[in-house]
Each structure stands twice: as structure tokens, then as C-alpha cells.
Amino acid sequence: MSDQMEQVLSEALEAIRSAETPDALNEVRIHFLGKKGSIQALMSLMKDLPKEEKPAFGQRVNTLKAEVSEKLEARREELSALAQTAKMANEKIDITLAGTKLEIGTTHPLIMIQNELEELFVGMGYKIAEGPEVEADYYNFELANIPQDHPARDMQDTFYIDPNTLLRTHTTAMQMRELEKAKGQLPIKLICPGKVYRRDDDDATHSHQFMQCEGLVVGEHITLADLKGTLEYMANAMFGEGRKVRFRPSYFPFTEPSVEVDVSCPFCNGKGCSVCKGSGWIEILGAGMVHPHVLEMNGFDSEKCSGFAFGVGLERVAMLKYGIDDIRNFYLNDLRFLKMFDRFD
Ligand code: DAH
């Protein structure tokens, strides 16, 4: 009998030692300690023993059971520690390795100019309008007083999508949409920044895609003086205090009178330098008083109200402000160029 017990014990210890996983160990537990296990089988032998031997036998089986349980528990802890160590080794991070550098983007210089203009004009009570880049001929030309066959259509070489649809050539299209939308209601005070497109050959000063910001104010007693004051305020904010603004007569079909607007050169303070080609002035935008016919076409009574409008090229402003000499830089996505602007942001 004792031999049988010794054998169960040594089999159990051997099985426990060689169990490599918690599942295997559990199998061992069931095999030896389960209801139908080997130790229970030893217990059932007790009933055939003489009465006086029963207590001692029972005690020895219990001791055996206790030892097997203890060894099982010890092995369980050992296996769990091994698993933990393996997991740690697997997840080990070499904190001395150089990290991956995260490239952080910078604001595009044109967006910086756009943000600046928006902040400036919102501060003066303007709202910001947005509109489609794929535009109807009607808004881009017709309502802007440029009917079919008007020679002014040649001023802007256009990408047509079909005879009535085009890529807007100027943000003035948005001016027309907003005038139409207002249905004669005053006042109107808005800017519209956005992309525009022209069939130009790209070179240092031309790009088939560029950005403009339109400005439009319509109300009672709006005059050219209001336009001049507004643009002077803008020039000072964009190019530094002390800028002067001058108007030169010009022609746009949607304004009367029309003006080209020059700013006193921020580089030489108007004395004359290579940037302003010695003149002391730099042309920055086109503007004028909204043509009475444009107001009438859009349902305004041009006897009772008037308005001014302007359209400024953002590339032009950015080029002057940051000393950029080639407009194509804005569209080449060269990181060396773009990264230069993080310090201005
Ligand atoms: N749309 C003109 C252009 O792209 C710029 C312009 C001139 C806009 C005069 C205006 C304006 O609103 O009044 O050349």
C-alpha cells in the first residue's frame, strides 16, 4: 500500500515539474486531485482495510494530498512568474534608441495673410463670405457688368468648364453673389478671400492659380474717401505704420470710378529703391465705387445707396511683406520654403 502511495506521489511530482503551461498544470491537478483522480482512488481503498489501520492510512493520504496541492500551487506561481518575465522581455522598450521625429507643419504664408486680413476686417465689423471656385459665367462676368463679347473679358483669360461654367477668375464673382443675395437690403460690409484661376503661363510674377481677397461695402453715403481711409488702415496694418495710399485712375467694368491703388514703399519709406523701382510707390490692388449699373442689376436703388469695392492679391501682399521674388514658390510645396514661415506664425 505504501508503495502505491509513493508511486502516486512521485508520479504527481514528476507531472507537476514537467507541466509547462497553466493549462497543462490544471490537467495534472484534475488527474491527481480531481473527484476521479488518483488520490481519491487511494482514499477509496480505505474501506477494505481493517478498522485499526484506517486512521493512519487516512492521515497518510491526506498528507500526500496536502503535499501535491502545495507543489501544484508552487508550480503555478512559478509558471505565472515565468510568463510575466517573458511578457516583460517581449515588451521591452529600448529607451536609449533615438525617437522618430514628428514633423510639425507650418501655416502657409498665404493663409497667414488671409488670417491677418480676416482679423483686421472682422475687427472693423465686416463679415466673411465664402463661395464656389467653380462658378457660373453669370456671377463671374454678366452680373459684374461684363456681358458676352465685352472686350473686358480679354482682361482675364479664363478656364471654361462649359460655355456657362468656369473657374472663377476673380473673387468679384462673390461680390455679385452677395449683392444678389442681399436683395437690396443695406448695409453690406464683407470680405471674401479665396482662390482664383486664370489661363496664364506661370512665371515669376504669374500663376494660373492665385488668391484674392474681395472687399465690398454698400450703404448710404459711402464715398471714395471711405475707400481710401479703409485701404490706408489696411496698408498700415499689413506693411507697418506710416504707409500712405494713393489712387490712380483705372478701369474695371464693375466700378466707376475705378482706381489702381499704390502704397508708399515699405522698404525705402517712399524714397525710391529697387523694389519700388525708384518710384517710392508699389501697386497693390484694384478698387473703385461699385458701378451704378451693377447695383441696379442686383436690385439696389443707385440713387439711394452707393458702395466701394476692392480686390487685393494675397500673393502680392505676401511677396512684399516677406520679400519673396517668385510667385511659384507658393505652389511648389518646397518644405525649405514653407518652413521659413514658422517663425512668423
Ligand atoms: N476683380 C479685379 C481683378 O481681379 C480686382 C478688383 C478691382 C476687384 C476693382 C474689385 C474692384 O472689387 O473694385 O483684377
Side-chain angles (χ1 to χ4, degrees):
M1 184 61 69
S2 178
D3 283 355
Q4 216 171 338
M5 274 195 217
E6 289 299 326
Q7 193 170 342
V8 170
L9 179 62
S10 77
E11 272 173 19
L13 296 184
E14 175 55 31
I16 289 168
R17 251 195 312 276
S18 45
E20 299 283 356
T21 64
D23 281 350
L25 194 65
N26 199 36
E27 290 293 311
V28 174
R29 187 185 61 77
I30 293 167
H31 185 262
F32 289 96
L33 293 177
K35 274 200 193 99
K36 293 178 184 154
S38 329
I39 294 178
Q40 198 55 41
L42 283 177
M43 224 29 147
S44 64
L45 295 178
M46 195 157 72
K47 66 181 187 308
D48 303 326
L49 288 178
K51 204 175 167 207
E52 61 279 9
E53 287 180 24
K54 281 184 183 177
F57 182 83
Q59 213 168 27
R60 288 187 56 204
V61 176
N62 278 336
T63 313
L64 168 67
K65 198 172 169 181
E67 183 168 358
V68 171
S69 298
E70 202 178 290
K71 290 280 179 339
L72 269 169
E73 179 56 21
R75 180 66 178 152
R76 199 188 58 73
E77 274 172 21
E78 197 174 57
L79 284 179
S80 127
L82 281 173
Q84 186 67 15
T85 317
K87 190 163 175 245
M88 298 277 265
N90 237 347
E91 290 174 359
K92 193 170 168 198
I93 297 168
D94 183 351
I95 55 166
T96 64
L97 271 181
T100 327
K101 191 166 175 234
L102 285 180
E103 289 285 345
I104 297 179
T106 54
T107 308
H108 193 280
L110 292 176
I111 300 300
M112 276 161 53
I113 299 290
Q114 178 179 343
N115 290 344
E116 239 178 280
L117 285 171
E118 287 183 358
E119 222 166 282
L120 184 75
F121 281 97
V122 166
M124 291 194 278
Y126 286 60
K127 73 169 197 169
I128 298 168
E130 262 183 87
E133 290 167 33
V134 176
E135 183 56 285
D137 180 286
Y138 180 66
Y139 292 109
N140 197 82
F141 290 130
E142 294 281 332
L143 270 190
N145 209 16
I146 318 176
Q148 286 289 339
D149 305 325
H150 192 290
R153 288 215 174 195
D154 296 343
M155 283 165 78
Q156 301 175 359
D157 237 340
T158 310
F159 287 114
Y160 277 94
I161 288 166
D162 64 40
N164 295 316
T165 320
L166 44 79
L167 295 183
R168 68 179 177 197
T169 58
H170 51 184
T171 43
T172 306
M174 269 310 291
Q175 189 190 136
M176 299 313 145
R177 276 181 179 269
E178 289 292 321
L179 281 172
E180 185 190 57
K181 203 164 81 186
K183 295 198 170 68
Q185 281 295 104
L186 298 175
I188 298 175
K189 212 171 158 189
L190 59 91
I191 58 164
C192 171
K195 298 190 186 85
V196 297
Y197 303 85
R198 289 193 199 167
R199 264 182 52 201
D200 269 330
D201 288 328
D202 294 356
D203 61 25
T205 52
H206 295 87
S207 169
H208 62 280
Q209 176 193 327
F210 57 104
M211 286 191 82
Q212 284 188 334
C213 180
E214 193 81 2
L216 173 68
V217 173
V218 184
E220 285 172 17
H221 314 300
I222 300 292
T223 69
L224 208 60
D226 296 317
L227 173 63
K228 197 164 184 191
T230 305
L231 294 179
E232 204 163 78
Y233 182 72
M234 178 177 93
N236 276 285
M238 301 302 285
F239 299 112
E241 288 297 313
R243 293 307 99 222
K244 288 199 201 73
V245 163
R246 92 176 170 184
F247 284 178
R248 279 180 293 112
S250 184
Y251 171 75
F252 298 104
F254 32 89
T255 41
E256 182 56 40
S258 302
V259 291
E260 297 280 358
V261 182
D262 296 340
V263 177
S264 57
C265 180
F267 298 97
C268 61
N269 232 343
K271 287 189 200 72
C273 66
S274 64
V275 181
C276 60
K277 301 198 180 73
S279 73
W281 295 93
I282 292 179
E283 183 190 324
I284 58 158
L285 56 88
M289 298 305 290
V290 181
H291 198 295
H293 188 225
V294 170
L295 290 174
E296 297 287 342
M297 274 194 290
N298 283 296
F300 291 84
D301 183 345
S302 65
E303 296 289 325
K304 296 212 174 95
C305 67
S306 53
F308 70 67
F310 60 88
V312 57
L314 300 197
E315 284 79 357
R316 180 109 183 100
V317 174
M319 286 168 88
L320 285 172
K321 203 171 152 103
Y322 302 127
I324 298 160
D325 58 5
D326 192 323
I327 195 171
R328 289 168 293 196
N329 280 322
F330 294 113
Y331 295 99
L332 293 177
N333 289 330
D334 184 334
L335 285 180
R336 289 168 305 178
F337 173 76
L338 295 173
K339 289 270 180 201
M340 289 198 299
F341 295 92
D342 56 357
R343 75 191 86 147
F344 294 109
D345 206 0

PDB file of all heavy atoms in Angstrom, residues 18-31:
ATOM      1  N   SER A  18       6.968  18.752 -14.881  1.00  0.00           N
ATOM      2  CA  SER A  18       7.089  18.894 -16.336  1.00  0.00           C
ATOM      3  C   SER A  18       5.910  19.650 -16.982  1.00  0.00           C
ATOM      4  O   SER A  18       5.910  19.839 -18.196  1.00  0.00           O
ATOM      5  CB  SER A  18       7.288  17.527 -17.007  1.00  0.00           C
ATOM      6  OG  SER A  18       6.399  16.605 -16.463  1.00  0.00           O
ATOM      7  N   ALA A  19       4.950  20.102 -16.183  1.00  0.00           N
ATOM      8  CA  ALA A  19       3.868  20.919 -16.775  1.00  0.00           C
ATOM      9  C   ALA A  19       4.435  22.287 -17.149  1.00  0.00           C
ATOM     10  O   ALA A  19       5.003  22.979 -16.307  1.00  0.00           O
ATOM     11  CB  ALA A  19       2.724  21.066 -15.794  1.00  0.00           C
ATOM     12  N   GLU A  20       4.305  22.638 -18.431  1.00  0.00           N
ATOM     13  CA  GLU A  20       4.953  23.875 -18.905  1.00  0.00           C
ATOM     14  C   GLU A  20       4.006  25.063 -18.979  1.00  0.00           C
ATOM     15  O   GLU A  20       4.428  26.195 -19.127  1.00  0.00           O
ATOM     16  CB  GLU A  20       5.552  23.652 -20.309  1.00  0.00           C
ATOM     17  CG  GLU A  20       6.621  22.576 -20.389  1.00  0.00           C
ATOM     18  CD  GLU A  20       7.962  23.055 -19.835  1.00  0.00           C
ATOM     19  OE1 GLU A  20       8.051  24.242 -19.478  1.00  0.00           O
ATOM     20  OE2 GLU A  20       8.899  22.245 -19.746  1.00  0.00           O
ATOM     21  N   THR A  21       2.687  24.757 -18.919  1.00  0.00           N
ATOM     22  CA  THR A  21       1.733  25.864 -19.051  1.00  0.00           C
ATOM     23  C   THR A  21       0.673  25.732 -17.961  1.00  0.00           C
ATOM     24  O   THR A  21       0.482  24.639 -17.411  1.00  0.00           O
ATOM     25  CB  THR A  21       1.009  25.813 -20.416  1.00  0.00           C
ATOM     26  OG1 THR A  21       0.230  24.613 -20.449  1.00  0.00           O
ATOM     27  CG2 THR A  21       1.984  25.810 -21.582  1.00  0.00           C
ATOM     28  N   PRO A  22      -0.026  26.839 -17.668  1.00  0.00           N
ATOM     29  CA  PRO A  22      -1.103  26.778 -16.665  1.00  0.00           C
ATOM     30  C   PRO A  22      -2.158  25.729 -17.043  1.00  0.00           C
ATOM     31  O   PRO A  22      -2.681  25.039 -16.163  1.00  0.00           O
ATOM     32  CB  PRO A  22      -1.705  28.183 -16.709  1.00  0.00           C
ATOM     33  CG  PRO A  22      -0.600  29.059 -17.209  1.00  0.00           C
ATOM     34  CD  PRO A  22       0.200  28.220 -18.152  1.00  0.00           C
ATOM     35  N   ASP A  23      -2.435  25.584 -18.354  1.00  0.00           N
ATOM     36  CA  ASP A  23      -3.434  24.586 -18.769  1.00  0.00           C
ATOM     37  C   ASP A  23      -2.956  23.164 -18.466  1.00  0.00           C
ATOM     38  O   ASP A  23      -3.705  22.342 -17.944  1.00  0.00           O
ATOM     39  CB  ASP A  23      -3.716  24.709 -20.275  1.00  0.00           C
ATOM     40  CG  ASP A  23      -4.661  25.859 -20.549  1.00  0.00           C
ATOM     41  OD1 ASP A  23      -5.215  26.395 -19.563  1.00  0.00           O
ATOM     42  OD2 ASP A  23      -4.829  26.221 -21.741  1.00  0.00           O
ATOM     43  N   ALA A  24      -1.686  22.933 -18.802  1.00  0.00           N
ATOM     44  CA  ALA A  24      -1.134  21.598 -18.557  1.00  0.00           C
ATOM     45  C   ALA A  24      -1.146  21.300 -17.052  1.00  0.00           C
ATOM     46  O   ALA A  24      -1.466  20.191 -16.618  1.00  0.00           O
ATOM     47  CB  ALA A  24       0.284  21.521 -19.103  1.00  0.00           C
ATOM     48  N   LEU A  25      -0.836  22.319 -16.267  1.00  0.00           N
ATOM     49  CA  LEU A  25      -0.808  22.147 -14.814  1.00  0.00           C
ATOM     50  C   LEU A  25      -2.202  21.825 -14.274  1.00  0.00           C
ATOM     51  O   LEU A  25      -2.365  21.001 -13.363  1.00  0.00           O
ATOM     52  CB  LEU A  25      -0.262  23.424 -14.164  1.00  0.00           C
ATOM     53  CG  LEU A  25       0.139  23.292 -12.700  1.00  0.00           C
ATOM     54  CD1 LEU A  25       1.309  22.330 -12.522  1.00  0.00           C
ATOM     55  CD2 LEU A  25       0.516  24.655 -12.116  1.00  0.00           C
ATOM     56  N   ASN A  26      -3.186  22.450 -14.883  1.00  0.00           N
ATOM     57  CA  ASN A  26      -4.558  22.194 -14.475  1.00  0.00           C
ATOM     58  C   ASN A  26      -4.951  20.740 -14.772  1.00  0.00           C
ATOM     59  O   ASN A  26      -5.633  20.096 -13.977  1.00  0.00           O
ATOM     60  CB  ASN A  26      -5.499  23.165 -15.188  1.00  0.00           C
ATOM     61  CG  ASN A  26      -6.828  23.258 -14.472  1.00  0.00           C
ATOM     62  OD1 ASN A  26      -6.869  23.208 -13.233  1.00  0.00           O
ATOM     63  ND2 ASN A  26      -7.913  23.343 -15.221  1.00  0.00           N
ATOM     64  N   GLU A  27      -4.479  20.262 -15.914  1.00  0.00           N
ATOM     65  CA  GLU A  27      -4.723  18.847 -16.269  1.00  0.00           C
ATOM     66  C   GLU A  27      -4.141  17.930 -15.181  1.00  0.00           C
ATOM     67  O   GLU A  27      -4.768  16.985 -14.725  1.00  0.00           O
ATOM     68  CB  GLU A  27      -4.042  18.496 -17.604  1.00  0.00           C
ATOM     69  CG  GLU A  27      -4.667  19.147 -18.842  1.00  0.00           C
ATOM     70  CD  GLU A  27      -6.059  18.609 -19.107  1.00  0.00           C
ATOM     71  OE1 GLU A  27      -6.219  17.366 -19.103  1.00  0.00           O
ATOM     72  OE2 GLU A  27      -6.991  19.435 -19.281  1.00  0.00           O
ATOM     73  N   VAL A  28      -2.935  18.279 -14.754  1.00  0.00           N
ATOM     74  CA  VAL A  28      -2.260  17.492 -13.716  1.00  0.00           C
ATOM     75  C   VAL A  28      -3.088  17.499 -12.431  1.00  0.00           C
ATOM     76  O   VAL A  28      -3.300  16.472 -11.783  1.00  0.00           O
ATOM     77  CB  VAL A  28      -0.839  18.050 -13.454  1.00  0.00           C
ATOM     78  CG1 VAL A  28      -0.178  17.334 -12.269  1.00  0.00           C
ATOM     79  CG2 VAL A  28       0.011  17.927 -14.705  1.00  0.00           C
ATOM     80  N   ARG A  29      -3.585  18.708 -12.084  1.00  0.00           N
ATOM     81  CA  ARG A  29      -4.396  18.829 -10.852  1.00  0.00           C
ATOM     82  C   ARG A  29      -5.621  17.906 -10.928  1.00  0.00           C
ATOM     83  O   ARG A  29      -5.910  17.146  -9.997  1.00  0.00           O
ATOM     84  CB  ARG A  29      -4.834  20.290 -10.668  1.00  0.00           C
ATOM     85  CG  ARG A  29      -5.537  20.564  -9.350  1.00  0.00           C
ATOM     86  CD  ARG A  29      -6.063  21.987  -9.269  1.00  0.00           C
ATOM     87  NE  ARG A  29      -7.041  22.263 -10.330  1.00  0.00           N
ATOM     88  CZ  ARG A  29      -8.297  21.846 -10.326  1.00  0.00           C
ATOM     89  NH1 ARG A  29      -8.736  21.121  -9.303  1.00  0.00           N
ATOM     90  NH2 ARG A  29      -9.102  22.102 -11.338  1.00  0.00           N
ATOM     91  N   ILE A  30      -6.307  17.961 -12.114  1.00  0.00           N
ATOM     92  CA  ILE A  30      -7.502  17.128 -12.240  1.00  0.00           C
ATOM     93  C   ILE A  30      -7.144  15.646 -12.142  1.00  0.00           C
ATOM     94  O   ILE A  30      -7.798  14.866 -11.457  1.00  0.00           O
ATOM     95  CB  ILE A  30      -8.222  17.431 -13.577  1.00  0.00           C
ATOM     96  CG1 ILE A  30      -8.781  18.866 -13.527  1.00  0.00           C
ATOM     97  CG2 ILE A  30      -9.331  16.431 -13.860  1.00  0.00           C
ATOM     98  CD1 ILE A  30      -9.243  19.411 -14.850  1.00  0.00           C
ATOM     99  N   HIS A  31      -6.028  15.313 -12.793  1.00  0.00           N
ATOM    100  CA  HIS A  31      -5.616  13.908 -12.824  1.00  0.00           C
ATOM    101  C   HIS A  31      -5.323  13.365 -11.431  1.00  0.00           C
ATOM    102  O   HIS A  31      -5.645  12.232 -11.095  1.00  0.00           O
ATOM    103  CB  HIS A  31      -4.395  13.739 -13.741  1.00  0.00           C
ATOM    104  CG  HIS A  31      -3.989  12.301 -13.912  1.00  0.00           C
ATOM    105  ND1 HIS A  31      -2.968  11.732 -13.186  1.00  0.00           N
ATOM    106  CD2 HIS A  31      -4.488  11.317 -14.699  1.00  0.00           C
ATOM    107  CE1 HIS A  31      -2.847  10.466 -13.514  1.00  0.00           C
ATOM    108  NE2 HIS A  31      -3.770  10.184 -14.452  1.00  0.00           N
TER     109      HIS A  31
END
